Amino acid sequence: MIHQQQQQQDEGSSSSVTSSPLQNFSNMPLHPATASTTPPWMLRELRSDERGLCLIHLLLNCAAAAAAGRLDAANAALEHIAALASSDGDAMQRVAAAFAEALARRALRAWPGLCRALLLPRASPTPAEVAVARRHFLDLCPFLRLAGAAANQAVLEAMESEKIVHVIDLGGADATQWLELLHLLAARPEGPPHFRLTAVHEHKDLLTQTAMVLTKEAERLDVPFQFNPVVTRLDALDVESLRVKTGEALAITSSLQLHRLLATDDDSTTTSPTAIDKEKRRSSPEDSSGLLSPSTSRADAFLGALWGLSPKVMVVTEQEASHNTPGLTERFVEALNYYAALFDCLEVGAARGSVERARVERWLLGEEIKNIVACDGSDRRERHERHDRWAARMEGAGFGRVPLSYYSLLQARRAAQGLGCDGFKVREEKGVFFLCWQDRALFSVSAWRGRRYD
């Protein structure tokens, strides 16, 4: 199944670099049971391609055993994986090590006391470490840099001739994208507008650092600038704290944030978060009384609240993956394919032993893998879904599609070509950009507007 999926995704690729390390092993005849019955010392003697195939079989067997509650079988598979995987080996070894840790964490949940005792000392990365890892990811695997450039161009085009521009960044703690937008606004033929940026993030220190960097650059460029920090998690956001004012042109951007709202739909209660409670009758998902319907999901209701703010444009960047299925095995297979492609991309972008790459794989991608595999319920926040699902939600909330411009596509493709690697590609479908490693789409970028602007 996993190989069939990968062949469909990579069909037609003529590059010598595959879109996922898994594709390298699709035609090898090793039976799944072979890896599980081979002694660990013999596994160490395998060639690189044979080792990769063994790791795939072992990981899939381990995931199936964990999903079925067969912990003895899961433990046996993990023992064999440990003999082959390595956090500083090749791409397949590194991604296997990340998924093995996630499976081990899931298995340990059967013993809550043991789980807490073993995992408490291994704290999650700090907000500062995550920020560092994200910056490294921008440099080594610059999908988000391309997405940010496309978003900035969409905002610039929507805000042509506007004198007061307000941008809301949902999850904004990185100044990189907004430094570029400041320069674009400063270069407008009609002069820069008054630029207000509202950034939403749960860590105040990161917002403070962003504010300092942007304020200093705005002063240097002579762009009137105001920064409005909103310290909160997205699922607890009160839309009134965004301080949208009459007479200003509004844009909203979200980069890899909206999928986290889907976790709240697993809660047993139907109590709406503040963002939904505060939303007025102007939101689109409503019943005859003008209030949000109890059956409306929280993510849908949140999008309705944003629609009620009347943005001229909203740009959404999300992982192009299906990691929100309830069954562990299906979710695991999809995640293994997706992250193997990302690890393969990092393999090309960084030298063996790179500290920067290790931070990205451990503090950023590794944490996502653990959340997807080891967590359930509202604790599982990394619920990535493909663009077609987000498009349905956006349209259901009242948004209309805005095709990203041909100029944006040219810019994005030039930037991708300038990276010095044939693996980075930008595919356009009906005005939506798909950022790809080889022929596998990893991220989508789409633009939307309120119906009143159609």
Side-chain angles (χ1 to χ4, degrees), residues 132-133 136 354-365:
V132 167
H136 292 328
S354 166
V355 173
E356 293 79 10
R357 186 182 68 188
R359 288 171 176 169
V360 171
E361 293 178 349
R362 190 169 112 214
W363 293 342
L364 193 64
L365 305 184

Side-chain angles (χ1 to χ4, degrees), residues 113-144:
L114 182 62
C115 183
R116 292 191 185 97
L118 287 176
L119 300 184
L120 273 179
R122 303 183 66 179
S124 298
T126 66
E129 288 172 334
V130 173
V132 167
R134 189 168 292 276
R135 283 195 295 272
H136 292 328
F137 184 65
L138 285 171
D139 294 333
L140 298 176
C141 225
F143 296 111
L144 300 187

